[in-house]
Amino acid sequence: MTTKTTQQSKTVKLAKLDKKHLLHPATNPKALIDNGPPIIFVKGKGVTVTSTDDVEYIDGMSMLWNVNLGHGNQELADAGNSQLSTLAYASSFKGFSNESSILLAEKLAELAPGDLNSVFYTSGGSESNDTAIKLARFYWELKGKSEKRKIIALTNAYHGVTIGAQTATGLAAYHKFASSNIDGVVRATAHLLNSELGDKSDPNYADSIRGTIEREGAETIAGIIIEPVQGAGGVNIPPEGYLEAVRKICDEHNILFMADEVICGFGRTGKMFGVNNWNVIPDMMSIAKGITSGYSQLGGVMINDEIRETIANFDAVIPHGFTYSGHPTACAIGLKNIEILERDNIIDHVNDMEKELKKGLDYLAEKHSIVTNCRAIGLLAAFELYEDPTSGKLFDPTVFPANAVVDACFERQLILRALGANNQIVAIAPPLIINKEEIEKMIQIIDDSITAFKNTRN
């Protein structure tokens, strides 16, 4: 039996077991049962991953926006192994602590903007945003303002899938699923700069953050949760001055600014944190994903000194926490991950590669008339597919243009992601270590895939 035959046999066997035993997240279960998993990963190195069939793919999405330092980083593996062999796990309940979690907390305080000097550890982004919502409400209760419990969340936002975070998520499908909603979350339209600057003549003013505060009453609002750059909602970069305007609104109305940095953090946007692009200091900041480059499950909520001091004076047990809060192994990997980011000047490299990626996107827009709205900040990027960009005409809903192009890229061994309510957005977020040649190869595959899609329309 040849090596290729053996690999194929292994893939078939694993696919059958997958269909029998796994219920996948964010997946069409019927399509999976009908067709099996589209790929079974077996290894990764740098910006590539390899399937059980020994086919190598460029990971153009860092898996889920999180493998910032790329696959197969031996230093991260060694950091985890070293911690595993000494103290793999320790509880953080009852005030118990461990060296790795303390040292990482110190490092995060050094890196975070302003006086975000304390962290509550979680296992990931959804838990972080759920925790941020709870801590915001808890803080105001301790301040004697228990009526301040509403959270303003934005359209097209994605904050996770635990019940609180899922309610804050601004994508309709998530609210329909299992009636997953909590009370007290109100929606405002994202990125209405003029309205947030106080222009009441703006036709969308009523749906803005300012309009929402006026309608709901500032005395009822605990915080505004906001991604510096919206990720799963479409890679939506805010207009210049927008985050500063939201920060000012929060100051005016005594409302907490809650930054969701789960995707944007740890170099993804060309700064250590997304808010650093606009010199905005949040009151709370959710982190996860890039903190370990996906090598272990870790998240957290950074809080400012005033919130920390208020909570620190609470003389009872806080009824909130996770088994893996402050997990020693995850924290050790997080420390090493940050060390590499700083030592190897990864963020400077991201800014250099942003220029190369933008060149590639410009090339696609120039060559293909259906490509429009190209955008990138750091290595967080997207472009859109319209039937006629000049008139703003989208493709018919039955076409699913982003899916078609992403599928064509996959056939050509590049992993990207389709987004958008009209399935018109293709997202790109490769590992931060990607080089110029790899970006050029990625752009060439996208170019060929768009051409293939156009040929199906002729």
Side-chain angles (χ1 to χ4, degrees):
M1 185 178 290
T2 66
T3 301
K4 184 175 182 180
T5 303
T6 301
Q7 290 167 337
Q8 290 173 339
S9 176
K10 179 181 180 181
T11 299
V12 170
K13 180 180 178 180
L14 289 172
K16 287 181 179 178
L17 291 171
D18 183 291
K19 292 195 292 183
K20 182 177 181 180
H21 297 296
L22 286 179
L23 181 61
H24 286 256
T27 299
N28 181 324
K30 185 178 185 304
L32 182 70
I33 294 300
D34 290 345
N35 305 312
I39 188 171
I40 301 173
F41 299 110
V42 69
K43 62 182 178 180
K45 187 65 178 175
V47 302
T48 66
V49 288
T50 303
S51 73
T52 48
D53 292 325
D54 202 32
V55 179
E56 189 175 85
Y57 295 77
I58 298 173
D59 180 6
M61 282 304 299
S62 303
M63 286 289 111
L64 278 175
W65 330 81
N66 62 334
V67 188
N68 285 9
L69 290 183
H71 301 274
N73 185 296
Q74 193 60 49
E75 286 188 89
L76 294 180
D78 289 345
N81 183 62
S82 176
Q83 185 65 51
L84 283 167
S85 63
T86 52
L87 179 67
Y89 169 74
S91 171
S92 292
F93 284 29
K94 293 188 67 175
F96 291 4
S97 200
N98 66 82
E99 184 178 11
S100 292
S101 69
I102 293 169
L103 294 179
L104 179 58
E106 178 190 37
K107 186 62 180 178
L108 290 170
E110 175 192 320
L111 294 175
D115 63 344
L116 294 168
N117 289 319
S118 303
V119 62
F120 185 104
Y121 286 119
T122 72
S123 305
S126 294
E127 286 184 1
S128 294
N129 286 321
D130 236 49
T131 297
I133 292 170
K134 286 185 178 181
L135 290 181
R137 289 176 168 180
F138 182 51
Y139 166 75
W140 288 118
E141 288 174 6
L142 295 177
K143 299 293 284 186
K145 298 182 179 182
S146 57
E147 70 280 4
K148 286 178 74 68
R149 63 186 313 277
K150 293 177 184 175
I151 303 294
I152 295 178
L154 303 184
T155 54
N156 297 317
Y158 180 85
H159 297 295
V161 294
T162 51
I163 290 181
Q166 186 152 312
T167 307
T169 289
L171 307 175
Y174 289 88
H175 302 154
K176 297 174 184 176
F177 179 70
S179 301
S180 297
N181 293 284
I182 62 170
D183 70 294
V185 176
V186 294
R187 194 80 51 206
T189 299
H191 300 166
L192 298 177
L193 177 59
N194 289 341
S195 295
E196 309 312 357
L197 291 173
D199 182 4
K200 293 192 175 185
S201 69
D202 190 304
N204 298 306
Y205 183 85
D207 297 322
S208 69
I209 292 172
R210 278 195 179 276
T212 301
I213 292 171
E214 290 174 4
R215 181 175 66 252
E216 301 290 333
E219 71 282 359
T220 71
I221 298 170
I224 300 168
I225 188 167
I226 183 169
E227 299 162 277
V229 178
Q230 292 184 330
V235 189
N236 302 312
I237 302 171
E240 286 301 319
Y242 179 77
L243 290 184
E244 294 92 334
V246 176
R247 174 70 268 183
K248 184 177 180 182
I249 290 168
C250 290
D251 293 339
E252 287 176 9
H253 296 285
N254 203 21
I255 293 169
L256 299 178
F257 187 117
M258 305 159 65
D260 176 356
E261 289 272 359
V262 171
I263 287 175
C264 297
F266 302 97
R268 174 58 59 187
T269 65
K271 300 284 187 180
M272 184 59 74
F273 298 103
V275 291
N276 295 143
N277 287 282
W278 296 280
N279 294 316
V280 169
I281 299 174
D283 301 300
M284 309 175 75
M285 187 170 78
S286 298
I287 53 176
K289 290 192 183 292
I291 189 173
T292 65
S293 288
Y295 282 62
S296 189
Q297 304 93 324
L298 182 64
V301 181
M302 305 290 297
I303 58 175
N304 68 21
D305 290 343
E306 207 282 324
I307 296 172
R308 165 62 187 241
E309 182 178 347
T310 299
I311 294 175
N313 285 315
F314 178 69
D315 192 15
V317 174
I318 295 176
H320 178 66
F322 305 102
T323 299
Y324 296 117
S325 291
H327 194 292
T329 303
C331 290
I333 293 172
L335 272 168
K336 179 58 69 173
N337 182 73
I338 292 170
E339 177 189 323
I340 296 169
L341 280 172
E342 293 186 318
R343 182 197 70 202
D344 295 350
N345 298 315
I346 298 295
I347 294 176
D348 289 341
H349 177 74
V350 169
N351 287 298
D352 290 338
M353 292 305 101
E354 175 193 320
K355 297 182 181 71
E356 298 302 324
L357 184 53
K358 284 181 174 178
K359 286 179 189 176
L361 293 173
D362 289 344
Y363 165 78
L364 294 175
E366 184 177 347
K367 181 174 179 180
H368 301 283
S369 62
I370 64 172
V371 173
T372 188
N373 296 335
C374 298
R375 50 197 182 269
I377 179 169
L379 287 173
L380 183 57
F383 63 89
E384 300 190 31
L385 298 161
Y386 280 50
E387 185 170 350
D388 181 7
T390 303
S391 66
K393 182 182 179 183
L394 293 161
F395 283 96
D396 186 88
T398 61
V399 173
F400 297 101
N403 278 355
V405 170
V406 167
D407 289 347
C409 287
F410 186 74
E411 291 171 5
R412 293 161 176 78
Q413 296 160 232
L414 168 64
I415 297 170
L416 297 178
R417 185 171 175 182
L419 301 172
N422 298 291
N423 194 248
Q424 83 280 16
I425 302 170
V426 177
I428 307 170
L432 307 187
I433 60 169
I434 195 168
N435 61 38
K436 180 176 183 289
E437 291 73 24
E438 289 163 337
I439 288 177
E440 289 172 348
K441 184 176 180 180
M442 192 165 59
I443 293 297
Q444 184 59 61
I445 292 174
I446 298 170
D447 181 11
D448 293 343
S449 299
I450 294 170
T451 298
F453 167 67
K454 286 161 63 177
N455 287 340
T456 67
R457 304 291 299 161
N458 294 332

